[in-house]
């Protein structure tokens, strides 16, 4: 709200433009858009303009790699479907429901509606199921989680080598240009194998459901995804990039080569249908956090 005296002072200035914004007119315009496709199109255009401002024009040919709409689509079944192997299947059990306040129930309902719409979850008839719980975030809000502790005890452990800090430092030594990409909702890009879907069944006051996509809270998920992402980006790995789960670090000594490297990576990500979060990307950086290590370019 602006006071009268301040308003009078401003309108006298030549470089000040005056316009009116009537909420009822905006609501009227939005209500006239009955076709949700048209509304989505308007939102997409606004998102595209915002994206172009954040991304260098050098990489505008790869705008679809940053498209958040694709992350809501159920991935296809393929050779990388995640399969769970148990040490002893006979020990699986069904968790009990416990008392839950109404605001938590409503949060669960929204989560179910959202993921049913995306087809990430579906109804389950499994005889066993895990419970759900809430974890408090730093901002005091609640994050909805699955309690797979009992299941994790039964899963056979997998082994897969991850990057060593010394190896990363050796690879990026003398680099002058660094870019960090972050893959959006990484684990949801892989389906569960059909025979493993029932194992990640969870029970709610609304019904019993199972996931059709891979989850982060299960044993072996990190190692499995690391294997997957290394295979998908094999052509770039250790040449000009290092990868740890959903974090991609691209490094170069010369600017011209750096732009070529970034384009190659973006093209590869588009080929394998992985999307990047523009808000978590870091361009033209002098320091970076990778593998919990703070790296300064001047010290390389």
């Amino acid at each position: 709200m602006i006071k009268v005296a301040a308003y009078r002072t401003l309108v006298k200035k030549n470089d000040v433009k005056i316009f009116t914004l009537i909420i009822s007119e905006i609501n009227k315009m939005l209500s006239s858009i009955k076709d949700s496709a048209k509304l989505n199109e308007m939102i997409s255009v606004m998102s595209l303009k915002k994206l172009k401002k954040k991304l260098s024009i050098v990489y505008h040919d790869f705008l679809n790699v940053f498209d958040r709409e694709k992350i809501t689509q159920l991935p296809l079944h393929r050779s990388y479907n995640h399969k769970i192997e148990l040490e002893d299947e006979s020990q699986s059990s069904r968790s009990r429901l416990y008392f839950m306040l109404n605001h938590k129930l409503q949060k669960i309902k929204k989560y179910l509606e959202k993921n049913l719409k995306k087809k990430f979850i579906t109804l389950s008839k499994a005889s066993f199921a895990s419970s759900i719980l809430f974890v408090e975030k730093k901002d005091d809000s609640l994050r909805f989680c699955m309690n797979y502790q009992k299941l994790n005890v039964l899963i056979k452990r997998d082994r897969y080598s991850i990057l060593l800090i010394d190896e990363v430092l050796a690879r990026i030594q003398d680099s002058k240009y660094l870019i960090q990409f972050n893959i959006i909702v990484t684990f949801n890009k892989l389906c569960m194998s059909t025979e493993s879907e029932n194992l990640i069944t969870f029970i709610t006051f609304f019904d019993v459901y199972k996931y059709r996509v891979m989850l982060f809270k299960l044993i072996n998920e990190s190692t499995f995804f690391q294997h997957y992402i290394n295979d998908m980006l094999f052509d770039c790995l250790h040449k000009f990039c290092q990868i740890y789960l959903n974090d991609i670090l691209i490094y170069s000594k010369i600017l011209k080569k750096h732009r070529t490297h970034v384009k190659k990576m973006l093209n590869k990500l588009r080929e394998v249908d992985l999307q990047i979060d523009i808000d978590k990307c870091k361009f033209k950086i002098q320091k970076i956090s990778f593998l919990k290590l703070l790296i300064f370019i001047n010290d390389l």
Side-chain angles (χ1 to χ4, degrees), residues 176-190:
K176 300 299 178 185
Y177 301 93
L178 297 177
I179 278 184
Q180 187 174 28
F181 287 153
N182 183 275
I183 302 173
I184 307 174
V185 286
T186 316
F187 291 74
N188 289 348
K189 299 302 292 185
L190 295 173

Side-chain angles (χ1 to χ4, degrees), residues 36-77:
S36 60
K38 288 184 179 179
L39 184 59
N40 290 335
E41 186 179 344
M42 288 176 61
I43 296 171
S44 296
V45 170
M46 292 170 64
S47 300
L48 185 61
K49 288 180 179 179
K50 182 182 177 182
L51 176 58
K52 284 183 176 180
K53 287 182 179 180
K54 291 187 175 183
L55 190 65
S56 169
I57 193 171
V58 178
Y59 308 120
H60 278 194
D61 288 341
F62 303 94
L63 290 173
N64 57 348
V65 180
F66 300 86
D67 185 6
R68 299 192 69 92
E69 284 299 314
K70 289 188 176 182
I71 66 175
T72 62
Q73 300 170 6
L74 181 70
L76 298 173
H77 282 281

Side-chain angles (χ1 to χ4, degrees), residues 135-143:
V135 177
E136 191 172 305
K137 295 182 181 180
K138 292 180 180 179
D139 60 358
D140 294 330
S141 62
L142 296 174
R143 181 161 59 92

